[in-house]
Amino acid sequence: MSFFLQFTIDVLALGGAYALMALGLVIVYGILRLVNFAYGELIMVAGYSMYLTSGSGWPWLVMAAVAVLMAMLAGIATDYVAFRPVRAKSVTAVLITSFAFSTLLQNAALLFISPRPRNVPLPEIFSETVSFAGVITPARNLITIAATGVLLALFSWLMRRTVLGIAMRAAATNFTMARMLGVPANLIISSAFAISGLLAGVVAMLWIGRIGAVVPGIGLGPLLIAFIATVIGGMRSLQGAVLGGFVLAFIDTTLNFTLPQDLLKFRDAFTFSLVIAILLWRPEGLIKGPASGQRT
Amino acid sequence: MLEVAPMLEVAGLQVAYGAIQAVRDVSLTLAQGELVTLLGANGAGKSSTLMCIAGALPAAGGSVRLEGADVTSARPEVMARKGVATVPETRDVFPDLTVDENLQLGAYTRRRDTQGVAEDRARMFEMFPLLAERSGQPAGTLSGGEQQMLVIARAMMSRPRVLLLDEPSLGLAPTIVDQIFEMIAALKRSGLTILLVEQNASKALAVADRAYVMRLGRIAAEGTAAEIAAATDLKALYLAG
Ligand SMILES: Nc1ncnc2c1ncn2[C@@H]1O[C@H](COP(=O)(O)OP(=O)(O)O)[C@@H](O)[C@H]1O
Ligand SMILES: [Mg+2]
């Protein structure tokens, strides 16, 4: 019994972080039909914001809020710098500019801060463990689960109950029609990038909470995870991204528990094999998403 | 003497898809409250004209004026804000949004007028009881006729001054087509200015004040609905598509 509880907590905590990463990527993809390769750098920006404000003496929550805000601003900046100038031209152009912006941000961190890991302040509770019902788990895991629950609820409320959210869902299926109803294209795109940044910022707090340090390449792992999770879940569906995150975490955690010690270092190879199997079975991902798909 | 600018005035309009010149020279005028139909064979350039007026396609030449103000190649959201509502031929409901959410988005430009929007929503549901029954259902699950009703109702939610309608009868059963034309006539009676693109010429001419016939990207004929209906060469213009 306590094993299953332990397993469930692990899957939910890891899956929650994965789901938030995937959601941040797919919210932009859904609207622009473009993968934002600079997404990982939003996580990096939040991390360095924590590092840079660590001497300020602010309470941790204030530093975290500033870091999330920075990630949101960096998200909106991604649109203005990498997407907006070339959006109308070609898919390739945007892919290249988003790669370039990602590299630019990483190199700025290398140059102006350091290639070496920089410590990030963490609240006490992140390093505490909790034991209940025969389970011992880091408090961080429970915080992650709670944060995921709150954010998913907030996100779902935004997308279903607000005009902006409904307009974003509409724009994801037919951007031109949404615009012909008066929905401003730039508002929708900036909002998508801001939400993407918000999710990346929160993910950064949870993700960096595991390591306690930030490096210029910190965003690569989350970008890859987000990408795989959205491919599993279905690139076109917000629910799919969340589902994909939890499925990926389920696979990872199961392998963690079942693989013998000497095979554990090949865990990712096993994970990817399973991902390929899922895609052979369902090439469009688990959840298909809306039918139409013209790009703007 | 005070000159009243027409509600919508298109002059020398050109639209191109890369090297393909879809609209070569189109001029048309809609007076306030007029129902004008734009006829022509498949591929004549009717939809391109309409989508260009709506701001969804850039003009390669010519001009579009709304009550005298130049709105050539304005962004589609700007056209919507200025009171031009568009129902494209592709009948674009948002399939995964509910019927209600589709209507709500129709009122995007006046979303702060919550009371007015609620009243209009109730009015639409009264006019289309079928939509009321399915208000919580994803719009993608509606039949073709119901989807057409929904897109027209959605367009009306913005309380437009001009309605651009592209082939609302396309692919629908005859009884539904009659219903749709009755609705168009009712909208006209309410004072709305309407540009109706149709291939169903006889039905369109029966409700329209005036008509233009397009052929190969140009206006080939124009006149009152009665004149165009009586013109014996209309068939020839058509078939020559
Ligand atoms: N997206 C497009 N790309 C290239 N050519 C197009 C496109 N849409 C329409 N056309 C061409 O433009 C011309 C006019 O099309 P359209 O405006 O749809 O005519 P209609 O509505 O009168 O049937 C046609 O020759 C058509 O093939
Ligand atoms: Mg057409």
Side-chain angles (χ1 to χ4, degrees), chain B residues 41-43 45-48 89 166-167 197 199:
Chain B
N42 209 354
K46 307 180 296 296
S47 297
S48 306
E89 141 185 68
D166 197 349
E167 305 223 26
V197 164
Q199 284 205 62

Side-chain angles (χ1 to χ4, degrees), chain A:
Chain A
M1 184 56 215
S2 72
F3 166 78
F4 281 107
L5 193 57
Q6 178 86 56
F7 181 81
T8 308
I9 290 174
D10 285 1
V11 170
L12 289 181
L14 193 63
Y18 285 5
L20 297 181
M21 289 173 195
L23 207 50
L25 189 67
V26 90
I27 183 84
V28 169
Y29 181 85
I31 285 168
L32 292 177
R33 301 274 178 270
L34 289 165
V35 174
N36 174 18
F37 285 104
Y39 178 57
E41 277 58 53
L42 304 183
I43 292 169
M44 180 199 86
V45 164
Y48 280 113
S49 168
M50 290 301 275
Y51 162 69
L52 292 173
T53 53
S54 59
S56 65
W58 297 341
W60 185 83
L61 272 177
V62 174
M63 287 191 281
V66 169
V68 170
L69 193 68
M70 287 300 160
M72 290 172 77
L73 292 177
I76 295 172
T78 313
D79 176 32
Y80 277 88
V81 175
F83 282 64
R84 202 162 288 195
V86 290
R87 208 162 64 206
K89 303 221 166 64
S90 78
V91 187
T92 333
V94 184
L95 289 183
I96 291 170
T97 49
S98 93
F99 259 125
F101 191 62
S102 154
T103 313
L104 182 81
L105 287 176
Q106 278 196 38
N107 280 298
L110 280 173
L111 198 64
F112 296 113
I113 299 174
S114 166
R116 309 250 308 266
R118 284 291 179 245
N119 286 336
V120 161
L122 293 177
E124 278 299 307
I125 193 163
F126 266 55
S127 40
E128 284 167 12
T129 54
V130 182
S131 62
F132 62 96
V135 175
I136 302 172
T137 186
R140 184 172 21 84
N141 278 353
L142 301 181
I143 293 171
T144 304
I145 294 173
T148 307
V150 169
L151 272 181
L152 290 184
L154 190 71
F155 186 79
S156 150
W157 171 81
L158 175 82
M159 297 308 276
R160 304 202 164 274
R161 294 278 173 265
T162 70
V163 178
L164 178 68
I166 295 172
M168 290 181 77
R169 281 160 57 216
T173 49
N174 191 334
F175 206 159
T176 307
M177 189 62 236
R179 295 181 71 185
M180 286 195 289
L181 295 178
V183 177
N186 288 338
L187 170 75
I188 293 300
I189 295 169
S190 290
S191 305
F193 275 99
I195 294 172
S196 179
L198 171 79
L199 292 164
V202 175
V203 163
M205 298 306 113
L206 304 170
W207 196 244
I208 293 171
R210 293 167 180 257
I211 335 162
V214 54
V215 289
I218 190 137
L220 185 61
L223 173 68
L224 204 61
I225 291 166
F227 189 70
I228 296 166
T230 49
V231 167
I232 296 177
M235 290 292 278
R236 309 271 298 282
S237 152
L238 299 173
Q239 292 93 325
V242 174
L243 179 67
F246 282 103
V247 168
L248 187 59
F250 180 81
I251 296 174
D252 274 356
T253 310
T254 308
L255 291 174
N256 275 348
F257 274 97
T258 52
L259 281 184
Q261 200 60 47
D262 49 342
L263 282 182
L264 212 48
K265 57 178 175 288
F266 301 116
R267 190 196 70 182
D268 285 351
F270 285 95
T271 302
F272 288 135
S273 312
L274 280 167
V275 169
I276 291 170
I278 292 176
L279 288 180
L280 287 175
W281 168 51
R282 281 197 168 227
E284 291 192 67
L286 298 174
I287 298 182
K288 242 188 188 161
S292 89
Q294 105 244 56
R295 222 178 57 82
T296 25

Side-chain angles (χ1 to χ4, degrees), chain A residues 159-163 166-167 169-171 173-174 176-187 290-291, chain B residues 51 54 56 75-77 80-81 84 86 88 92 94-98 101-102 104-106 108-109 111 154:
Chain A
M159 297 308 276
R160 304 202 164 274
R161 294 278 173 265
T162 70
V163 178
I166 295 172
R169 281 160 57 216
T173 49
N174 191 334
T176 307
M177 189 62 236
R179 295 181 71 185
M180 286 195 289
L181 295 178
V183 177
N186 288 338
L187 170 75
Chain B
M51 293 304 266
R75 281 171 289 149
E77 54 264 45
R81 224 175 298 141
V84 177
T86 311
D92 296 315
F94 299 113
D96 57 334
L97 266 59
T98 65
E101 287 171 333
N102 269 277
Q104 202 182 334
L105 269 192
Y108 185 88
T109 52
R111 60 196 179 284
R154 187 178 66 187

